[in-house]
């Protein structure tokens, strides 16, 4: 029977990553035996999979987990948006490090490189210590997180093109071929000018198209990339990424965020927020959730070292709305 | 922090590192004690069987269902959309409702096109409802029975009736099941009423398995059919220009009718042929050819031809969505044989 199960699971659509989630669920269960098994293991699995379904499972998980599946990536982008939407509303501008702090509240080991790369997309590679608006940041962040591997490969191609190499040969980052370089005297000037202008958009389009053919991770739709690259004769890497991040089709494909016009509009959530704020104002000490099970979990959570995560009131209000689902994926 | 990160990344690794023999032993013990292996095996089997488009959602529902069943023993409330279960002994009505909910849950698990999974689930649902018969006060299924089991508890599956110990599902429960199936399938009560009249059994009757299966399957197919018909109407009518023209609708319905007649019309003759030759293989071939013919009749090409013909010489006026739905439903329902 075991064999037949294996065989048939292989036939099952692979992109849902069922086996990954099953194995993570068991690992989590073993890590927190006492806590999770007190309500029964089937209840635990029910909560785990409901949270995966509702995209709350990535909250407070490690970076490896967040990037493990496309669903996890888009869930994290959505959680980020839901938690910090208010910052966007207030119109505040933040620096790379401040955005990193916000991200680390949701994912303690979130690497700063990822945030820096996002900053480079928004600020077009110069003045990386400038301040950014929430909406600029989040769409660039979405692109960077969701298509991380693809962007890395495109950067390699881009750099090869800049250096005058044919990138369709095997991609090995460095190794300069001397004969291709222009005479030393004009080299510096020339290089600067080249980097400023970027590369031929049509050549980049061809290379990117070829890359899509052999790429095993997900990539933005070919049509949107072709569209962007067809608009200009010359393009530089970060302006290409900037256009991609603002492209409606790309955003729709990922499916985590609303369109740019609606990013900060969500009357339903506002209402909920007002209600919760009112509740907290009325009874500062009491717990807003009525069920005994949730109440119990709430206490456990407060006893955990992660309590400091909730020091921001905004955070607390927004994430508490989804306590039920997030608890099972917490550790 | 670094230490914490290390520990966290360790969590993500699916395999335990070596040199932790004692830990992995105790883990294994814990898993087997808690019955996790059995639980997951059952879940994966069900999932593969159902081939749901959304396996994660399927697993969430599946475990939620199992949890609410075991919660019942402990007297706590079910989860989310699950049925709320009270403490103490349940009244007969409440128990009946509970069995009905669980039976419906089983029937929802697999689409009817996944025929063997669907048949299994119909069997499980039938046995569940059968437990609610009169004089069955202690009617409780043993817990594990339907959760992980893929074979039908009373065996048989399909063949000769097998009314089980309850003597058959009560007619009233049978009717309720069919009503729920239709309304969950998005069919308005007014549309499904004529179908249910044809499938009707009296409330006091004991419904045998074959009739139950026929009723359930018919309702499942009917729900799909009506949804298709609604989509068909949406295709025919332009959303901006109000209701679709009567001529076009009649052309579409005519084509549909012709196709249905093809699929059924040859039925009699084919069967005769097959019987005289006693050739099962041939019968299957003839059946396949018949379905191909029928599907050719509703091919886009044929439909387009019929519609363009109708545009020039059909009757005037419009037809609204409800009228179209009723007409389409009527085509289906006249082909359902009356039970009892």
């Amino acid at each position: 029977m075991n064999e037949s199960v294996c065989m048939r699971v292989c036939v099952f659509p692979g992109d849902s990553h069922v086996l990954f989630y099953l194995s993570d669920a068991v690992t989590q269960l073993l890590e927190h035996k006492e806590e999770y098994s007190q309500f029964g293991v089937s209840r635990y699995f029910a909560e785990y999979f409901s949270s995966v379904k509702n995209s709350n499972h990535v909250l407070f998980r490690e970076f490896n987990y967040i990037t493990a599946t496309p669903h996890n990536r888009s869930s994290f982008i959505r959680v980020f948006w839901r938690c910090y939407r208010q910052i966007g509303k207030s119109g505040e501008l933040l620096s790379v490090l401040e955005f990193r702090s916000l991200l680390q509240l949701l994912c303690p080991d979130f690497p700063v490189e990822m945030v820096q790369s996002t900053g480079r997309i928004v600020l077009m590679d110069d003045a990386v210590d400038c301040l950014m608006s929430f909406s600029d940041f989040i769409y660039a962040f979405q692109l960077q997180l969701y298509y991380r591997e693809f962007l890395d490969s495109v950067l390699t191609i881009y750099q090869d093109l800049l250096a005058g190499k044919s990138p369709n040969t095997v991609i090995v980052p460095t190794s300069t071929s001397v004969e291709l370089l222009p005479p030393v005297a004009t080299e510096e000037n020339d290089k600067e000018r080249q980097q400023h202008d970027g590369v031929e958009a049509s050549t980049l389009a061809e290379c990117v198209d070829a890359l899509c053919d052999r790429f095993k991770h997900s990539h933005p739709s070919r049509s949107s990339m072709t569209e962007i690259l067809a608009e200009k004769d010359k393009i530089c890497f970060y302006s290409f990424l900037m256009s991609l991040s603002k492209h409606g089709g790309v955003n729709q494909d990922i499916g985590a965020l609303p369109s740019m016009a609606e990013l900060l509009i969500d009357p339903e959530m506002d209402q909920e927020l007002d209600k919760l704020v009112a509740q907290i104002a009325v009874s500062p000490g009491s717990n807003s959730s009525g069920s005994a099970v949730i109440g119990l979990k709430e206490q456990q959570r407060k006893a955990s070292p992660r309590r400091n995560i909730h020091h921001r009131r905004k955070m607390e209000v927004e994430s508490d709305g989804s306590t039920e689902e997030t608890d099972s994926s917490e550790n | 922090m670094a230490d914490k990160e290390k520990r966290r990344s360790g969590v993500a690794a699916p395999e335990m590192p070596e040199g932790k023999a004692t830990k992995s032993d105790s883990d294994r013990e814990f898993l087997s004690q808690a019955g996790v292996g059995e639980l997951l095996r059952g879940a994966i089997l069900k999932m593969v069987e159902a081939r749901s488009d959304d396996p994660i959602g399927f697993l969430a529902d599946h475990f939620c269902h199992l949890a609410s069943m075991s919660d019942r023993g402990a007297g706590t409330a079910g989860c989310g959309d699950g049925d709320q279960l009270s403490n103490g002994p349940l009244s007969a009505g409440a128990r009946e409702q509970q069995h009905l909910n669980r039976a419906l849950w089983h029937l929802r698990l697999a689409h009817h096109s996944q025929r063997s999974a669907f048949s299994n689930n119909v069997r499980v649902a039938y046995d569940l409802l059968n437990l609610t018969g009169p004089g069955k006060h202690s009617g409780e299924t043993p817990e594990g029975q339907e959760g992980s089991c893929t074979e039908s508890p009373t065996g048989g599956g399909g063949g000769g009736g097998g009314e089980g110990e309850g003597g058959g599902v009560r007619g009233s429960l049978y009717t309720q099941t069919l009503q729920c199936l239709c309304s969950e399938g998005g069919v308005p009560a007014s549309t499904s009423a004529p179908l249910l009249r044809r499938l009707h059994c009296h409330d006091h009757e004991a419904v045998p398995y074959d009739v139950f299966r026929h009723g359930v399957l018919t309702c499942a197919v009917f729900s799909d059919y009506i949804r298709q018909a609604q989509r068909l109407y949406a295709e025919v009518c332009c959303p901006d220009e109000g209701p679709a023209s009567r001529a076009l609708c009649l052309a579409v319905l005519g084509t549909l009718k012709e196709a249905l007649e093809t699929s059924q019309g040859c039925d009699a003759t084919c069967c005769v042929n097959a019987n005289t030759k006693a050739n099962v293989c041939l019968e299957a071939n003839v059946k396949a050819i018949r379905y191909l013919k029928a599907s050719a009749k509703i091919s886009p090409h044929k439909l387009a031809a019929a519609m363009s013909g109708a545009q020039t010489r059909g009757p005037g006026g419009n037809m609204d969505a409800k009228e179209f739905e009723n007409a389409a439903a009527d085509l289906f329902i006249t082909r359902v044989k009356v039970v009892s």
Side-chain angles (χ1 to χ4, degrees):
Chain A
M1 179 159 100
N2 274 339
E3 261 174 43
S4 75
V5 170
C6 288
M7 297 269 291
R8 290 167 76 182
V9 169
C10 295
V11 179
F12 215 70
D15 52 1
S16 54
H17 296 98
V18 175
L19 293 182
F20 166 80
Y21 288 114
L22 280 169
S23 115
D24 180 68
V26 174
T27 316
Q28 291 296 311
L29 178 64
L30 288 174
E31 283 286 314
H32 307 272
K33 280 180 210 149
E34 293 77 20
E35 198 181 325
Y36 288 163
S37 58
Q38 58 181 320
F39 299 111
V41 281
S42 43
R43 166 69 60 209
Y44 162 75
F45 281 110
E47 290 203 5
Y48 182 90
F49 283 99
S50 311
S51 77
V52 174
K53 190 169 107 181
N54 302 329
S55 298
N56 288 312
H57 59 305
V58 287
L59 205 53
F60 312 130
R61 289 297 302 268
E62 63 276 20
F63 184 70
N64 276 345
Y65 182 75
I66 284 169
T67 51
T69 70
H71 175 63
N72 286 8
R73 293 181 190 204
S74 67
S75 302
F76 186 75
I77 295 161
R78 195 171 172 75
V79 164
F80 180 76
W81 169 64
R82 284 179 53 188
C83 288
Y84 298 125
R85 209 173 41 104
Q86 293 298 319
I87 292 176
K89 265 192 145 171
S90 69
E92 235 172 294
L93 300 177
L94 300 178
S95 71
V96 163
L97 287 181
E98 284 169 320
F99 274 117
R100 188 217 185 184
S101 305
L102 292 182
L103 284 163
Q104 285 191 331
L105 292 177
L106 304 178
C107 166
D109 63 340
F110 202 92
V112 69
E113 296 79 25
M114 182 67 73
V115 196
Q116 281 163 344
S117 312
T118 307
R120 275 196 282 275
I121 300 179
V122 177
L123 305 165
M124 305 287 241
D125 202 18
D126 46 38
V128 187
D129 47 354
C130 278
L131 301 180
M132 291 168 273
S133 79
F134 179 76
S135 57
D136 279 349
F137 180 83
I138 198 169
Y139 286 107
F141 175 69
Q142 152 170 275
L143 186 77
Q144 179 64 42
L145 183 71
Y146 199 82
Y147 294 122
R148 180 166 63 133
E149 294 81 3
F150 183 76
L151 298 190
D152 288 348
S153 301
V154 174
L155 179 61
T156 314
I157 290 180
Y158 178 81
Q159 281 167 343
D160 280 355
L161 281 177
L162 263 191
K165 281 189 296 178
S166 159
N168 272 341
T169 54
V170 185
I171 298 173
V172 184
T174 45
S175 87
T176 34
S177 45
V178 184
E179 63 273 15
L180 278 174
L181 291 176
V184 188
T186 53
E187 192 189 336
E188 283 299 301
N189 256 340
D190 218 49
K191 215 174 170 186
E192 220 164 76
R193 192 173 48 79
Q194 259 186 355
Q195 270 178 356
H196 197 72
D197 289 350
V199 300
E200 297 282 340
S202 56
T203 322
L204 184 62
E206 274 170 36
C207 298
V208 165
D209 203 46
L211 176 66
C212 290
D213 285 336
R214 59 195 142 94
F215 207 65
K216 57 180 191 300
H217 297 279
S218 53
H219 56 75
S221 72
R222 285 169 197 247
S223 60
S224 52
M225 291 194 287
T226 323
E227 193 184 307
I228 290 166
L229 290 172
E231 278 171 11
K232 288 183 191 163
D233 295 337
K234 286 220 155 200
I235 195 163
C236 70
F237 181 66
Y238 286 104
S239 76
F240 174 50
L241 296 200
M242 182 63 160
S243 310
L244 266 181
S245 73
K246 293 195 181 245
H247 193 279
V250 173
N251 181 45
Q252 229 170 20
D253 287 345
I254 299 174
L257 299 176
S259 72
M260 224 168 271
E262 289 160 12
L263 185 71
L264 306 175
I265 307 168
D266 194 343
E268 219 169 274
M269 213 187 264
D270 285 341
Q271 243 175 22
E272 195 119 309
L273 202 64
D274 289 344
K275 230 167 38 194
L276 281 164
V277 171
Q279 261 177 13
I280 290 168
V282 168
S283 53
S286 81
N287 203 321
S288 58
S289 47
S291 144
V293 177
I294 295 166
L296 233 166
K297 291 201 158 180
E298 199 74 22
Q299 278 169 9
Q300 284 166 357
R301 172 196 270 207
K302 282 194 177 134
S304 83
R306 214 178 284 108
R307 185 184 176 180
N308 58 354
I309 283 167
H310 293 269
H311 73 276
R312 275 170 183 260
R313 199 181 73 169
K314 266 175 212 157
M315 235 323 280
E316 177 145 18
V317 165
E318 295 254 7
S319 69
D320 266 357
S322 52
T323 308
E324 280 163 84
E325 294 90 6
T326 58
D327 267 350
S328 62
S329 57
E330 252 191 69
N331 50 30
Chain B
M1 188 69 202
D3 179 54
K4 198 175 171 192
E5 279 178 21
K6 208 179 273 174
R7 206 202 49 173
R8 291 180 150 275
S9 59
V11 172
E15 296 291 328
M16 286 290 163
E18 282 176 44
K20 286 194 173 179
T22 50
K23 181 157 180 9
S24 81
D25 274 356
S26 80
D27 281 350
R28 200 158 291 149
E29 199 177 312
F30 168 79
L31 290 179
S32 74
Q33 252 177 15
V36 172
E38 204 49 46
L39 191 74
L40 294 186
R41 192 169 302 125
I44 294 176
L45 269 175
K46 279 273 172 200
M47 178 185 82
V48 170
E49 201 178 79
R51 304 212 160 199
S52 151
D53 292 336
D54 169 25
I56 297 292
F58 177 87
L59 287 177
D61 288 349
H62 176 78
F63 288 122
C64 208
H65 174 73
L66 291 185
S68 71
M69 286 208 317
S70 54
D71 276 355
R72 199 175 33 158
T76 39
C79 68
D81 50 356
D83 25 10
Q84 292 295 319
L85 305 153
S86 57
N87 291 334
L90 293 164
S91 67
R95 186 179 300 131
E96 190 173 297
Q97 188 58 42
Q98 214 173 70
H99 282 168
L100 182 64
N101 287 342
R102 280 162 62 191
L104 286 167
W105 183 82
H106 280 286
L107 292 177
R108 276 194 296 267
L109 278 183
H111 188 255
H112 62 80
S113 59
Q114 308 289 343
R115 201 45 67 87
S116 66
F118 185 77
S119 296
N120 270 342
N121 293 336
V122 172
R123 184 78 226 184
V124 173
Y126 182 81
D127 288 334
L128 260 174
L129 293 176
N130 207 359
L131 288 169
T132 336
K136 289 232 149 230
H137 299 299
S138 57
E140 287 291 320
T141 20
E143 279 312 327
Q145 196 183 35
E146 24 130 20
S148 55
C149 189
T150 53
E151 299 302 321
S152 57
T154 44
E163 271 89 82
E165 22 180 350
V169 169
R170 269 215 323 274
S172 55
L173 266 178
Y174 163 79
T175 311
Q176 258 181 301
T177 309
L178 298 190
Q179 276 166 352
C180 290
L181 280 179
C182 286
S183 70
E184 277 172 15
V187 182
S190 58
T191 310
S192 61
L195 176 74
L196 294 178
R197 269 199 296 280
R198 284 192 177 236
L199 297 172
H200 182 75
C201 289
H202 291 289
D203 283 358
H204 52 79
E205 268 179 312
V207 180
Y209 174 73
D210 285 346
V211 174
F212 180 80
R213 185 174 180 282
H214 172 247
V216 165
L217 187 58
T218 310
C219 284
V221 176
F222 183 68
S223 304
D224 272 2
Y225 173 83
I226 290 298
R227 273 199 299 277
Q228 293 283 4
Q230 286 163 347
R231 235 169 286 158
L232 193 57
Y233 182 82
E235 289 288 321
V236 173
C237 99
C238 309
D240 308 329
E241 296 168 22
S245 105
R246 175 169 298 273
L248 287 185
C249 289
L250 287 179
V252 172
L253 288 169
T255 320
L256 190 60
K257 182 169 182 228
E258 208 182 321
L260 285 174
E261 271 163 2
T262 313
S263 71
Q264 209 172 38
C266 330
D267 208 6
T269 52
C270 292
C271 282
V272 171
N273 280 345
N275 284 341
T276 49
K277 288 178 188 169
N279 190 334
V280 183
C281 181
L282 182 69
E283 188 190 355
N285 278 343
V286 171
K287 237 181 180 172
I289 290 168
R290 177 157 38 96
Y291 291 143
L292 278 177
K293 269 189 191 162
S295 63
K297 294 242 165 159
I298 37 171
S299 67
H301 172 69
K302 280 264 183 187
L303 201 55
M307 283 171 78
S308 68
Q311 213 150 23
T312 50
R313 57 186 157 69
N318 292 328
M319 186 184 273
D320 65 6
K322 187 67 195 161
E323 191 181 346
F324 185 86
E325 187 180 307
N326 285 339
D330 198 44
L331 290 179
F332 185 101
I333 293 169
T334 48
R335 282 167 181 78
V336 174
K337 66 171 192 275
V338 183
V339 172
S340 72

